[in-house]
Amino acid sequence: GADVRVVYSFADAIEVARRNPRREVVFFSVGFETTAAPTAALILSLVEGGDSLPPNLSLLTAHRLTPPVMRFLVEEMGVDIDGVIAPGHVCTVMGPEHFKEFPERYGIPTVVAGFEPLDLLLGLLMCLRQIREGRAELENEYTRSAKPGGRREARRALLEAFDVVSGWWRGIGVVPDSICVLKGELKGLDARERFGVSFEPEPDEIPEGCICHLIVTGRALPTDCPHFGKGCTPHRPKGPCMVSSEGTCLAWFRYGPQGWGRLRLSG
Ligand code: SF4
């Protein structure tokens, strides 16, 4: 019976709330730094500008930061990472130095790359060169967008609107200092606070037999899953990696050439 609508951004949710003043509107605010920052900036610009948000609007936030979970993979899960292609859109907001700990602290070659095919190929080439030459540096292929320091206003908004706390990642566990939650006076906008609800992780959140949690953490390939291409296809997905267009299993199913199934991860 719920009225669920797909919106492009928080600005659209504000509009929906204004048009429906007698209904409670909850914006499901999900994503990494790239979506957390614009939402934070819009909230702060309205609050600081004296233009209040509709009283019937709240946010159910599910924002996460990328470096903490990568750090968790290296430190806690012992995943052996040869090189990092750091996401260019995150670095556009946060600056390439958002990922500097990986070369500096863990000795992992790291290249910031965009998402066009040529960006990714060049990023891979730069990363492979570092590995071949025994270097571990932070390099930036995506210089046309990811500038040192990132977008300062977006970074400021992120820091001012959110506290960073430890939280649960599906299939991974509790990752320290990885989740963004509304802070200070903005807590009143949090749907959890407003409606007194909480969410506990469910032990059987990964479908039986699905190994998505191993795939997204680099410990298995889609072809290691007995369901891949059989009980689990894009038309009948069994796990989350086969649902999203960015999911590893879906990409592997669509674009993986004959013979990739014979690849095996080392170690
Ligand atoms: S999404 Fe499907 S193919 Fe991928 S690991 Fe899960 S069950 Fe296996």
Side-chain angles (χ1 to χ4, degrees):
D3 176 3
V4 179
R5 305 182 193 185
V6 176
V7 292
Y8 187 71
S9 70
F10 185 48
D12 290 348
I14 294 173
E15 199 52 41
V16 171
R18 284 191 173 136
R19 285 192 190 151
N20 298 273
R22 296 190 178 171
R23 305 186 70 183
E24 287 293 338
V25 175
V26 178
F27 175 59
F28 184 34
S29 189
V30 60
F32 291 96
E33 293 90 336
T34 42
T35 49
T39 297
L42 185 51
I43 294 172
L44 291 179
S45 72
L46 288 171
V47 171
E48 290 170 358
D51 187 6
S52 61
L53 287 161
N56 58 326
L57 177 64
S58 56
L59 292 93
L60 182 58
T61 56
H63 288 300
R64 280 130 206 278
L65 303 178
T66 38
V69 74
M70 292 169 59
R71 192 182 310 133
F72 190 80
L73 293 187
V74 176
E75 286 193 356
E76 302 297 327
M77 301 180 88
V79 178
D80 192 12
I81 299 175
D82 295 316
V84 168
I85 303 294
H89 60 340
V90 171
C91 293
T92 296
V93 174
M94 306 301 288
E97 54 283 3
H98 196 47
F99 291 91
K100 69 178 181 184
E101 69 182 287
F102 297 99
E104 291 181 1
R105 189 167 169 192
Y106 304 112
I108 301 174
T110 302
V111 179
V112 176
F115 291 90
E116 296 294 329
L118 277 178
D119 286 314
L120 286 169
L121 282 173
L122 185 53
L124 274 173
L125 177 66
M126 292 166 72
C127 197
L128 289 170
R129 276 190 181 142
Q130 285 200 44
I131 293 170
R132 188 180 65 186
E133 294 166 9
R135 293 182 288 121
E137 298 169 10
L138 177 66
E139 292 184 313
N140 185 9
E141 178 279 333
Y142 200 42
T143 51
R144 66 185 184 277
S145 181
K147 312 284 186 195
R151 303 281 157 85
R152 284 178 174 69
E153 278 306 300
R155 289 180 60 138
R156 180 189 73 85
L158 194 62
L159 293 173
E160 288 188 9
F162 292 111
D163 272 330
V164 178
V165 300
S166 302
W168 180 264
W169 290 60
R170 188 182 193 190
I172 294 177
V174 175
V175 177
D177 302 328
S178 62
I179 307 273
C180 297
V181 293
L182 289 164
K183 73 177 181 185
E185 293 178 355
L186 300 181
K187 276 185 182 165
L189 294 171
D190 191 328
R192 293 175 183 84
E193 299 251 339
R194 188 174 293 183
F195 301 109
V197 292
S198 61
F199 302 94
E200 296 300 327
E202 301 200 7
D204 58 350
E205 60 180 6
I206 302 290
E208 194 179 343
C210 174
I211 59 167
C212 273
H213 55 301
L214 300 179
I215 292 169
V216 298
T217 51
R219 293 175 291 166
L221 294 172
T223 44
D224 293 329
C225 176
H227 302 299
F228 180 76
K230 298 171 190 143
C232 183
T233 64
H235 295 296
R236 284 177 168 262
K238 196 174 173 69
C241 300
M242 192 62 94
V243 176
S244 162
S245 61
E246 297 176 356
T248 312
C249 292
L250 182 63
W252 206 282
F253 186 90
R254 284 205 176 136
Y255 308 113
Q258 191 83 25
W260 278 26
R262 291 196 295 274
L263 281 177
R264 285 290 176 272
L265 292 174
S266 60

